[in-house]
């Protein structure tokens, strides 16, 4: 599914983040930036040891923020390592921290003149964030950002498996039906 927001495209695909040909891919990292399972493990395996070497020089990243490295052997030139919150009960600032992880990633992309970004679904694996609420936050934060930042031409959410894809699609459709997408066209 694809929608236009202001002059940018927001797209949902089912697939693997490590195969994306966008300028940057966004990793669901942990605060150490020293690797982990899930998306993180897949990105380091596919991108090779150069990514971890650069991560080691950064010295970690607080929850709700993001840091950038080269993409190593990935097609993407850069990896943005975003640290989402561990979900407990939704009352430990998890929503604010997840918004902030997305906003920080998009802000880094703008500052580095990155025009296309592929996101994984931050916090919805080992960190346990309920997929539907996380999708609302991810898509709403991106929509708001793109409305003010046409320099980012494409944001693609890469959902791992049809179940995750269908949740994101449902949320994006309901945003569209509720008129919350100030878009120029869609498909
Ligand atoms: P977190 O620790 O932030 O929860 P995870 O890596 O455990 O991060 O999971 C984040 C999301 O990424 C989950 O929805 C998971 O299913 C998905 N995921 C796992 N591997 C990949 C991959 N190779 N490409 C895209 N998404 C993936």
């Amino acid at each position: 599914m694809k929608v236009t927001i202001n002059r940018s495209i927001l797209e949902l695909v089912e697939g693997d983040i490590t195969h994306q040909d966008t300028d940057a891919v966004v990793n669901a990292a942990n605060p150490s930036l020293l690797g982990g399972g899930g998306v993180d493990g897949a990105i380091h395996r596919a991108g090779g040891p150069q990514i971890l070497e650069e991560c080691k020089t950064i010295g970690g990243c607080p929850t709700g923020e993001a840091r950038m490295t080269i993409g190593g052997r990935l097609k993407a030139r850069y990896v943005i390592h975003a640290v989402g919150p561990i979900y407990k009960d939704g009352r430990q600032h998890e929503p604010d921290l997840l918004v902030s992880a997305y906003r920080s990633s998009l802000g880094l992309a703008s500052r580095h003149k990155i025009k296309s970004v592929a996101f994984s679904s931050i916090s919805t694996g080992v960190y346990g964030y309920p997929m539907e609420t996380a999708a609302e936050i991810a898509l709403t934060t991106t929509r708001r950002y793109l409305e003010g930042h046409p320099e980012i031409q494409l944001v693609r959410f890469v959902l791992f498996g049809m179940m995750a894809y269908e949740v994101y699609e449902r949320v994006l459709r309901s945003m569209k039906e509720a008129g919350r997408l100030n878009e120029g066209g869609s498909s």
Side-chain angles (χ1 to χ4, degrees):
M1 180 176 179
K2 201 188 268 189
V3 297
T4 307
I5 295 171
N6 192 9
R7 296 206 293 279
S8 313
I9 289 171
L10 192 168
E11 178 179 40
L12 310 180
V13 301
E14 194 267 319
D16 185 328
I17 191 85
T18 64
H19 298 162
Q20 304 305 309
D21 59 1
T22 43
D23 297 338
V25 294
V26 182
N27 181 16
N30 62 55
S32 76
L33 297 187
L34 297 180
V39 175
D40 207 359
I43 284 179
H44 284 287
R45 271 194 305 279
Q50 277 181 304
I51 300 176
L52 186 59
E53 285 311 309
E54 194 177 344
C55 281
K56 283 181 189 163
T57 68
I58 295 173
C61 174
T63 303
E65 295 187 21
R67 301 287 185 269
M68 201 167 92
T69 68
I70 51 160
R73 294 197 296 257
L74 295 173
K75 283 185 202 154
R77 227 170 130 198
Y78 303 103
V79 178
I80 293 172
H81 303 265
V83 183
I86 296 175
Y87 188 86
K88 294 199 181 75
D89 56 8
R91 296 177 187 180
Q92 317 297 323
H93 304 290
E94 295 98 327
D96 293 345
L97 290 165
L98 191 57
V99 167
S100 171
Y102 278 103
R103 232 189 248 139
S104 304
S105 302
L106 291 163
L108 263 181
S110 287
R111 282 203 297 286
H112 290 271
K113 306 207 179 324
I114 288 168
K115 293 189 166 28
S116 59
V117 184
F119 275 99
S120 51
S121 178
I122 300 169
S123 284
T124 59
V126 174
Y127 279 7
Y129 214 113
M131 187 68 80
E132 181 124 10
T133 340
E136 274 165 20
I137 290 173
L139 294 170
T140 303
T141 305
T142 302
R143 169 182 61 84
R144 290 196 179 129
Y145 192 86
L146 290 179
E147 281 169 359
H149 293 271
E151 72 275 10
I152 299 188
Q153 295 168 0
L154 169 69
V155 174
R156 177 185 296 156
F157 282 86
V158 182
L159 292 320
F160 202 53
M162 274 320 281
M163 270 167 64
Y165 177 83
E166 281 164 13
V167 172
Y168 270 71
E169 187 183 49
R170 195 164 59 237
V171 170
L172 188 57
R173 254 185 226 297
S174 68
M175 282 166 63
K176 199 173 155 185
E177 279 158 19
R180 284 188 285 136
L181 290 182
N182 185 18
E183 48 166 344
S186 68
S187 65

